[in-house]
Every structure is written in C-alpha cells, then in structure tokens.
Amino acid sequence: MKITNLFTMSIGLFFLSTVGNAQTKAFQKEEFKQWAQTPPMGWNSWDCYGPTVEEHEVKANANYMAKELKKFGWEYIVVDIRWFVENDKAGGYNQTDPRYVIDKYGRYLPAVNRFPSAKDGQGFKPLADYIHKKGLKFGIHIMRGIPKKAVEDKLPIKGANGITADQVYSTALQCEWLRDNYTVVADKAGAQEYYDSIFELYAQWGVDFIKIDDLSRPYHEGEINLIRNAIDKCGRKIVLSTSPGETPISAAAHVSTHANMWRMVDDVWDTWPHITHLMDVAQKWYPYIAPGTWPDCDMIPLGRISVRGERGEDRMTRLTKDEQYTLITFFNIFKSPLFFGGDLPSNDAYTLSLLTNKEVVKMHNESSDVKQLFQKDGKIAVTSKNAKDGSIYLALFNISDTASQKVSVNLSDLGISASAEVLNMWTGEKSKTASKEITADLKPHSSVLYQLRVKK
C-alpha cells in the first residue's frame, strides 16, 4: 500500500485554514431539516464512473445541469467514492496497492492526477467554486470511519490534544466490501474531534452535500451521532445522506432526527427486480416522508451509465421505456431525493424529458400526505396531495411480469365525491371522470401518473 502525504504544502493548507467561515456558529438541534425542505435533486458520479471520476467529467456534468436542468430544481453535483485514490479502477476497487492522498491529520485529500485544481493543498475548493459559480451546489462521498493509514502511522487528530488515530479506532464492524477505513469508536476521547476535523475541512472547501457510506447495515448510531454533531459545529449547511443498504425501520426515529435522507435499499441498477424490490421495501417508509428528512430510493440508473462503472459495460439503461416511466414515476410520487446516475451530456431527448416535466417536478416539490393505497396482485396505487392548488395525485402501477391488468381506485378513497378533471402528467392528455372510480389498462411493468382536480 502506497500513500501520498502532503506535509509540504504549507501554503495551500494555510490558504484553506483562512478561507470560508472565519468564525463558525453551531446550528441548533434539528436545524438541519430546514436545509432540505424539498427532496434534494442532483447528479452523482457513481453509476457512470464508479471510483474513477475525473475533474473534467464532473465539470461537464455541471455545465449540462446548469444549462438544461437547473431551472427545474436540479442543483447538486456529487463526486462519489474514493476521490482520494490516485490509481483506482473501473469494475470494482483497487484494494491491492491503492495510492491514497492524505494530510498530516489523517484526512483524505483529492488525488491531483484526477482533480488538477486540487494542487498545492487546495483540496476541492476550486472545483466547488466552479460549481457554485454555475448556481449549483457541490457534494462529496466518504466512507464512515478513520483511514487505516492514519491508524498505522499514528497520525495526530487535529484539535484532540495529542490523541492519535490509533487511539480511536476498532477493527470491529469494519466495512466488508471496502477496507480503506476502520470503525471510529464513538465514546473514545478524540473520536468527536476526528469527525469535527474532517467537516471543518469540508466546510472550508465549500461542500454543500455529503453522502456517507456503510452507515446503515448494521446501523451505526454512534458514528451517526458524531457526524451530526460535527456538521452542526462546522458552520456550513451540509445536507447529510446516509448510505447504503436497507436502513432498519427500528432506526427510523433516530435517522429522521439526524440525517436529511437515508437509503432504503442497496444500489438500484437498471434491472426490473431492483425496482420491484424497492417498491416492496418502501411500503414501511411512507410515514417518514417529511420536509427535511427523506427516505431515499437511491440513484436514478437512466441514460448512459457504467462509462467506467462498477457493474456492466458502457451502455444506455437496460430498462424499457415503460420501466423507465415506472421508475421515475415512483421516485417522484414517493418524494424520494432524485440523483441522476447517468452521464448527463450523453442524454437523449427522451431521457431529458423524464427530468424536466414541469408538472411532475411541481408534484415532487409541493405534494404532501404521500401514502400507498394498496400493493397486491401485481398492482400498486400511490397518492398524494398538493395543498397549494388542491390537486390530488395518483400513480398506478402494474408490476406483474406477464399480464396486462386494469388498476382501479375508487374516487372516494381519494377524498373525491364529485367528478374530476384528469391530467395524464406524462402525455399531457386531459379527460374527465365518468364514474365513481378511475381505471387504467396497464401493460406489464407499466404505469400512469394522474393529476386530479375536483370540478367546481
């Protein structure tokens, strides 16, 4: 294992220590919920670039978002996993001889061969500045815990009065699929200071969003508490996403008071079973959909994915158009955070249309009281309301594999006692209800999304 230590970059590190918030003010308990009153929307590099994304690719996606998507509410650009490794690979991880970039306090820094603007110890600040100038927000991914290399070299923890990394770690519950870090023992002296030190650095860089991996299975309550404390101390509003895996419903009360969003399932890829599994697991999370805290369906595996990804070859999504409508309809009516996983500049007109439907975006932002009416016999119905304009939304799904089905909902179950005007939100087709129920004939794997307005 090799490492690049940036002990000599005193000028850059001094620069970072003096920019940003000269004085920080701690945020109040649960103030973080105000930072994501609507579900966050953005792009994440994982589905298309795995652990190998480079600065020019991040900028290309930011440029596309600023031009095509920002006006629809898309705003986050997130650099996913292992941005601190100089020699990672597509199709997995280089765990044989990774060259880490790390500072004297055991904090990872961007690999300059992949992110040239990080030279001279500037970290991600120049890239964050570039993205901010586009009117967008910048995010990064990290793994929970403390770098193994920091432990091995007994590096000091900034602000911990002589405590070193080897005094706060444990090999217990180390991530099974990526071995860069050890667990931080939450009640050890220096543990909070370690997390404080990394978020101090991220705040100086201008990070607006952080996705933290390997927190959910098992649920690492102690480290999540350290993370929440560190964000609240750092003086910058950094939206927190916990990931991945099936966050246990037993942790719902804790995660919804400590994170802005949390993953319900493992990675969702472009296969139909991933979608149906997500819909099944999501059933228990409807009561926890609330402003500032969002159950997360994972990234959107549409468009061109796996350019240098973890799973499969460079391709356009394998989902059929019906399946793509079903996925994007479910993500939107469920009010999941929306993080597009494909390479944005490679979008075709159809893929772009899935992200820029004004009525669907309005529903995603403004709806409330999301609930599932039923999920049985391959049929699903989900509804929500818009208190601002009185709209009622209804998504109907046929998730069976072989048979076309009629999926019906009684208008009374939607609180409608009179006739209603109906808008098919994807096609723009308008109609009126002619009976006491609303029905759609749906092919296997297909769906429909309606907006209903009671006729006055």
Side-chain angles (χ1 to χ4, degrees), residues 191-201 226 229-230 233:
Q192 184 64 66
E193 286 83 357
Y194 178 72
Y195 273 108
D196 290 350
S197 75
I198 63 172
F199 278 96
E200 175 187 69
L201 184 62
L226 298 179
N229 291 338
K233 290 178 186 177

Side-chain angles (χ1 to χ4, degrees), residues 31-84:
E31 187 176 343
F32 73 92
K33 294 181 180 180
Q34 300 300 316
W35 310 341
Q37 284 289 287
T38 58
M41 300 167 64
W43 173 83
N44 180 293
S45 64
W46 169 251
D47 281 359
C48 45
Y49 296 109
T52 72
V53 71
E54 298 177 1
E55 183 169 344
H56 66 96
E57 293 160 334
V58 176
K59 287 182 174 180
N61 279 273
N63 294 343
Y64 181 99
M65 182 176 288
K67 180 181 178 182
E68 303 289 350
L69 298 177
K70 183 174 73 169
K71 59 188 174 184
F72 296 94
W74 298 83
E75 60 179 348
Y76 290 97
I77 295 290
V78 181
V79 176
D80 208 270
I81 199 163
R82 269 191 149 195
W83 38 264
F84 46 81

Side-chain angles (χ1 to χ4, degrees), residues 283-295:
Q283 292 186 82
K284 59 192 175 188
W285 287 107
Y286 284 88
Y288 298 94
I289 300 170
T293 55
W294 309 103

Side-chain angles (χ1 to χ4, degrees), residues 374 379-380 396-398 405-409 438-440 442:
F374 56 79
K379 304 175 184 181
I380 301 176
L396 304 176
F397 305 90
N398 175 10
Q405 298 195 88
K406 286 187 176 181
V407 185
S408 302
V409 170
I438 187 164
T439 300
L442 298 176

Side-chain angles (χ1 to χ4, degrees), residues 88-132:
D88 222 325
K89 63 177 185 177
Y93 304 99
N94 176 12
Q95 300 201 68
T96 303
D97 61 345
R99 295 197 305 269
Y100 300 121
V101 184
I102 196 169
D103 77 0
K104 65 181 181 180
Y105 295 116
R107 303 177 298 184
Y108 290 125
L109 299 176
V112 175
N113 64 323
R114 293 168 52 197
F115 300 93
S117 69
K119 66 181 186 301
D120 300 328
Q122 295 182 87
F124 271 131
K125 188 176 190 310
L127 181 56
D129 287 347
Y130 179 91
I131 289 167
H132 292 153

Side-chain angles (χ1 to χ4, degrees), residues 147-217:
K148 288 171 62 178
K149 191 62 180 176
V151 171
E152 291 166 4
D153 289 355
K154 299 183 179 181
L155 296 180
I157 294 172
K158 187 178 181 184
N161 296 320
I163 297 173
T164 52
D166 58 300
Q167 296 174 275
V168 302
Y169 87 104
S170 171
T171 58
L173 300 176
Q174 186 184 12
C175 178
E176 295 180 357
W177 47 268
L178 187 59
R179 314 295 278 186
D180 295 336
N181 290 2
Y182 288 128
T183 297
V184 170
V185 181
D187 59 359
K188 289 274 191 179
Q192 184 64 66
E193 286 83 357
Y194 178 72
Y195 273 108
D196 290 350
S197 75
I198 63 172
F199 278 96
E200 175 187 69
L201 184 62
Y202 303 156
Q204 291 166 359
W205 287 347
V207 171
D208 305 295
F209 179 99
I210 191 155
K211 171 185 172 184
I212 305 186
D213 222 323
D214 196 46
L215 280 172
S216 301
R217 192 177 58 218

